[in-house]
Amino acid sequence: MKIKMKMRLRKPVIVLLFLTVLAPIVLYTDKLATFSAYELVVQEPSTLSLNRDFGTLNLLPQELSVAHEEPAADVYSENLTRSVHLPDGERSRKTRQLNEESIGTNVSSQEQEEYPIRLVTEVEDRLESGENKEHVKLKGAEHSKLATQAETKPEAQKSSKTKTENPNEHVVADRVRYLKDQLIRARVYLSLSATRTNVQFNRELRLRMKEVQRALGDATKDADLPKNVYGKLKAMDQTLAKGKQMQDDCTAVVKKLRAIIHSTEEQLRVHQKQAMFLTHLTAKTVPKGLHCLPLRLSTDYYSLNFSAQQFPNQEKLDDPELFHYALFSDNVLATAVAVNSTVTNAKDPRKHVFHIVTDRLNYAAMRMWFLANPPGKATIQVQNIDEFTWLNASYSPVLKQLASQNMIDYYFKTHKGAESDSNLKFRNPKYLSMMNHLRFYLPEVFPKLSKVVFLDDDIVVQKDLSGLWSIDLKGKVNGAVETCGENFHRFDRYLNFSNPIIAKNFSPRACGWAYGMNIFDLEEWKKQNITGVYHSWQNLNHERQLWKLGTLPPGLITFWKRVYPLERSWHVLGLGYNPSVSLKEIERAAVIHYNGNLKPWLEIGIPKFRGYWNRFVDYDQAYMRDCNMSP
């Protein structure tokens, strides 16, 4: 009888316990679902801000008291108040917990306060592992309703089941990054006094680090990891959780992480500077094959008799009814690709005439290449820039400047007073070459032509270009594709607007345009005295106060309000520096331009864009084989 009375009394007690303890815990875990410890703390390394924004940096798992959004400014040790978006009662409890910890509350009271959370977590773990699944039964109307819904929506049931069985799956979707984060957190704990003095924990943590490092190896994606890596990941998480419990507060951890961030930022700056220097060095270095090619070609050219050195169809060179191209280059192979791609895509190659100007060193090689590899029915002319007697220092300001002591010091002296490495790209020897500035003298180079298309040697033509000559430029001199789509192609990117001469005459937000494929109206050029405008601005810039070296800044100034915008598909840029150029844009383009340092003939070229260039290179050609040149 007493036993029955006890049993009757126990049922209300159990119900009361459920209502007063377990029900609030379930509701709390409901709220907590959106503030999962992993969601709060696991961030991909790529999202770490290196410009002092520490808001997304939380590398300590299970740190439930850490705010979801930390302040962007520096957080000092005397101001470590954090807030999680929790209900008012829970927020006050969390705040009280932090305050108690900061004044030295003992571990036992903290454990008591966190016990309900740990209890729910342990229950979820048991359910997740399947230890007691056969003993868990749904009871009550609500459970019946959920079961009915699950039967009618099997897909939703499957999705819900997946989330319940593996709540942290989204966290370790990229396990390689997560393992690297674990190693960072482990190194932090090894450096903190609270964990460094604990010999047993130290030994366990170092063992876990070795396991993770072995599992990680050289893996770059999850598929490279061993099958048992998840077990090592979980074991490391458990060890790190122990380390977290040993910490009195987050101050030491925050300080250590700040030190790591500062050190990483410094290393990043050093590596960026080194990478920039090496990229520029590689871009200026001539590969062995490209050095061999002109030597062999020159040798064979001078072995020819005079008649064999001449090109056919020279009577077409001054015919204004034909389509004339100007290419100024000292790179034989790049010029060959530009010509070959243009002729291949031309509807009527007989109407296309190529005027190539090179320097004395490559003159024989350039002629020999096109004598040995004639471009179908198109016409070729190769000229030596040194034979342009009108191009001298008394006529051209830039030639006079290049010979000045100031310019020589800038390029060849490395004393402490030299300008900083930020101007490294302007120290490229190509800016000393007059061939870069020859584009401002087109009417002098082609006195009998009315229109000419200027092509850089780092382009590939994919469509017929004869339509360019029929475009009405509406009185403008230069037809070019504008580059307003990107902010850094505005005038303020290239010109010094702190100088009053520039600020007075130009708009900093004016749209830039691209050199590399331009249609020039030489009749309008002469009428508007474009060469004279160029000379006047070059004289004003004799001390490089208006712009640094190069041809685009003076081009923007010289052709200010004299540019007719072409449709964007005529000329797509960026294949020499931007791997994100759309393949769809490339396929639509009439001309693609490898502007930048990552040229397709260099090993540093962007691999996915190299194929567009290689298709116009005949690697089976005798000279290419002799110089061991291959794709």
Side-chain angles (χ1 to χ4, degrees):
M1 195 67 178
K2 288 180 180 180
I3 294 172
K4 287 182 181 180
M5 287 292 293
K6 287 180 181 179
M7 289 298 293
R8 288 192 190 121
L9 288 170
R10 189 176 299 170
K11 286 181 181 179
V13 169
I14 291 172
V15 172
L16 183 61
L17 279 172
F18 177 82
L19 292 174
T20 57
V21 178
L22 290 180
I25 291 173
V26 172
L27 290 173
Y28 173 77
T29 55
D30 230 5
K31 293 284 185 182
L32 196 61
T34 57
F35 295 94
S36 166
Y38 289 100
E39 286 180 354
L40 289 171
V41 300
V42 179
Q43 302 288 342
E44 291 187 358
S46 62
T47 63
L48 291 181
S49 172
L50 295 177
N51 57 359
R52 308 298 295 169
D53 180 6
F54 303 109
T56 59
L57 179 62
N58 272 322
L59 299 176
L60 303 178
Q62 302 173 9
E63 183 79 10
L64 294 179
S65 61
V66 176
H68 188 60
E69 294 180 5
E70 292 195 29
D74 289 348
V75 179
Y76 299 98
S77 57
E78 58 264 26
N79 185 18
L80 284 170
T81 305
R82 299 159 187 240
S83 62
V84 181
H85 300 294
L86 297 173
D88 292 339
E90 189 58 27
R91 185 182 300 134
S92 63
R93 192 188 69 78
K94 281 291 172 185
T95 305
R96 187 172 64 254
Q97 181 182 334
L98 281 175
N99 291 336
E100 289 172 354
E101 288 177 358
S102 65
I103 61 173
T105 304
N106 58 34
V107 176
S108 60
S109 66
Q110 182 181 348
E111 288 177 347
Q112 287 174 3
E113 201 161 327
E114 291 182 351
Y115 177 76
I117 302 172
R118 196 161 61 249
L119 177 64
V120 174
T121 307
E122 289 170 359
V123 171
E124 287 179 349
D125 287 342
R126 286 201 298 273
L127 290 173
E128 192 176 312
S129 63
E131 293 174 2
N132 300 317
K133 280 184 180 177
E134 64 274 10
H135 301 295
V136 178
K137 296 180 181 179
L138 297 176
K139 294 183 179 181
E142 185 177 355
H143 291 164
S144 301
K145 183 179 179 182
L146 288 172
T148 307
Q149 289 176 351
E151 289 175 1
T152 56
K153 298 182 179 179
E155 292 182 2
Q157 179 188 16
K158 183 178 180 182
S159 174
S160 176
K161 183 179 178 183
T162 304
K163 290 180 181 178
T164 304
E165 289 181 351
N166 196 359
N168 296 324
E169 186 176 356
H170 69 286
V171 174
V172 292
D174 189 348
R175 291 181 180 176
V176 172
R177 290 184 183 276
Y178 189 73
L179 290 168
K180 290 178 180 178
D181 284 346
Q182 283 186 325
L183 290 174
I184 292 172
R185 300 201 301 271
R187 292 188 188 102
V188 171
Y189 282 136
L190 285 176
S191 66
L192 299 175
S193 58
T195 47
R196 188 172 60 244
T197 55
N198 189 319
V199 178
Q200 184 178 352
F201 174 77
N202 235 308
R203 189 183 298 114
E204 180 184 347
L205 186 57
R206 291 182 186 277
L207 177 63
R208 296 284 179 249
M209 288 176 69
K210 287 180 181 178
E211 290 176 353
V212 169
Q213 286 170 340
R214 277 197 295 267
L216 193 57
D218 297 325
T220 56
K221 54 183 183 296
D222 289 0
D224 300 334
L225 295 170
K227 294 181 179 178
N228 64 343
V229 72
Y230 190 66
K232 299 183 186 302
L233 183 149
K234 294 278 284 184
M236 176 62 102
D237 266 346
Q238 292 170 2
T239 303
L240 291 173
K242 293 179 185 176
K244 180 257 175 183
Q245 292 173 0
M246 294 178 187
Q247 306 306 316
D248 295 331
D249 57 50
C250 295
T251 306
V253 179
V254 169
K255 286 181 179 178
K256 185 64 182 177
L257 289 175
R258 290 195 186 286
I260 291 174
I261 289 173
H262 178 72
S263 173
T264 305
E265 286 177 339
E266 290 300 317
Q267 291 178 26
L268 178 64
R269 277 192 285 271
V270 170
H271 290 311
Q272 283 177 334
K273 186 176 285 189
Q274 289 176 345
M276 182 178 70
F277 172 77
L278 292 174
T279 301
H280 283 283
L281 181 64
T282 305
K284 291 184 284 186
T285 304
V286 179
K288 188 182 293 185
L290 285 181
H291 182 69
C292 162
L293 187 62
L295 292 176
R296 288 186 175 271
L297 287 166
S298 297
T299 302
D300 288 355
Y301 178 76
Y302 289 116
S303 67
L304 299 175
N305 58 44
F306 179 76
S307 61
Q309 293 177 349
Q310 307 308 309
F311 291 106
N313 304 321
Q314 295 300 285
E315 70 279 359
K316 294 183 177 181
L317 296 180
D318 297 326
D319 187 348
E321 300 299 319
L322 300 179
F323 307 130
H324 295 267
Y325 301 89
L327 285 96
F328 307 146
S329 173
D330 58 1
N331 187 324
V332 175
L333 188 59
T335 303
V337 169
V339 172
N340 188 23
S341 62
T342 306
V343 173
T344 301
N345 291 284
K347 292 178 180 176
D348 188 356
R350 293 172 299 178
K351 293 184 177 181
H352 295 260
V353 182
F354 296 88
H355 304 268
I356 300 167
V357 181
T358 188
D359 56 16
R360 183 188 305 171
L361 188 64
N362 293 281
Y363 174 71
M366 194 76 76
R367 290 184 69 90
M368 187 64 207
W369 176 269
F370 288 106
L371 287 170
N373 305 278
K377 297 178 180 179
T379 302
I380 287 285
Q381 179 190 31
V382 178
Q383 296 175 277
N384 181 357
I385 190 173
D386 293 325
E387 294 178 359
F388 296 161
T389 55
W390 51 267
L391 190 61
N392 51 58
S394 62
Y395 177 62
S396 171
V398 73
L399 265 178
K400 185 177 180 180
Q401 291 168 18
L402 290 174
S404 68
Q405 188 61 44
N406 185 19
M407 193 69 71
I408 292 170
D409 290 347
Y410 179 79
Y411 271 101
F412 300 109
K413 289 192 176 181
T414 55
H415 54 75
K416 293 182 180 179
E419 295 184 43
S420 66
D421 288 339
S422 62
N423 293 329
L424 181 64
K425 69 177 182 177
F426 300 113
R427 294 173 181 266
N428 194 319
K430 73 178 183 179
Y431 296 125
L432 290 171
S433 172
M434 194 55 201
M435 284 223 291
N436 252 338
H437 298 269
L438 194 60
R439 63 192 68 189
F440 295 102
Y441 299 97
L442 291 177
E444 286 86 347
V445 179
F446 310 113
K448 296 181 181 180
L449 300 181
S450 57
K451 276 189 177 182
V452 66
V453 167
F454 172 80
L455 296 178
D456 267 342
D457 61 0
D458 55 352
I459 59 99
V460 171
V461 177
Q462 301 187 123
K463 295 181 181 179
D464 179 56
L465 298 183
S466 56
L468 287 169
W469 278 264
S470 61
I471 294 175
D472 180 8
L473 298 181
K474 302 186 185 303
K476 305 294 185 182
V477 179
N478 176 12
V481 170
E482 293 183 330
T483 55
C484 295
E486 301 174 75
N487 287 332
F488 61 85
H489 282 145
R490 304 278 180 173
F491 269 43
D492 58 357
R493 168 74 176 181
Y494 303 100
L495 304 178
N496 178 18
F497 276 88
S498 63
N499 188 293
I501 299 175
I502 294 294
K504 180 181 176 181
N505 289 278
F506 307 101
S507 167
R509 303 305 297 158
C511 185
W513 45 269
Y515 260 131
M517 196 287 297
N518 308 77
I519 175 76
F520 288 104
D521 186 334
L522 301 185
E523 298 295 330
E524 283 293 331
W525 186 305
K526 294 171 188 174
K527 288 178 186 177
Q528 300 181 32
N529 190 24
I530 297 300
T531 303
V533 173
Y534 167 70
H535 282 174
S536 64
W537 281 106
Q538 280 289 357
N539 285 324
L540 288 171
N541 192 46
H542 63 96
E543 292 184 351
R544 301 186 307 280
Q545 297 299 313
L546 307 185
W547 69 86
K548 297 300 181 183
L549 297 177
T551 53
L552 183 54
L556 296 175
I557 287 178
T558 301
F559 294 100
W560 168 249
K561 296 184 178 179
R562 297 180 177 96
V563 177
Y564 177 81
L566 299 178
E567 206 278 318
R568 192 174 178 83
S569 63
W570 276 110
H571 185 192
V572 168
L573 299 102
L575 280 73
Y577 70 90
N578 181 14
S580 303
V581 178
S582 164
L583 296 181
K584 189 178 293 185
E585 268 192 286
I586 293 174
E587 296 296 337
R588 291 177 58 237
V591 173
I592 55 176
H593 194 173
Y594 292 84
N595 57 311
N597 286 321
L598 310 181
K599 304 298 185 187
W601 55 84
L602 300 175
E603 289 185 8
I604 60 173
I606 301 173
K608 67 178 179 178
F609 297 150
R610 195 176 283 135
Y612 297 102
W613 191 82
N614 281 337
R615 71 177 66 165
F616 296 104
V617 181
D618 182 9
Y619 287 100
D620 292 328
Q621 205 270 348
Y623 290 108
M624 301 290 284
R625 290 200 310 270
D626 290 345
C627 291
N628 297 318
M629 299 187 73
S630 58

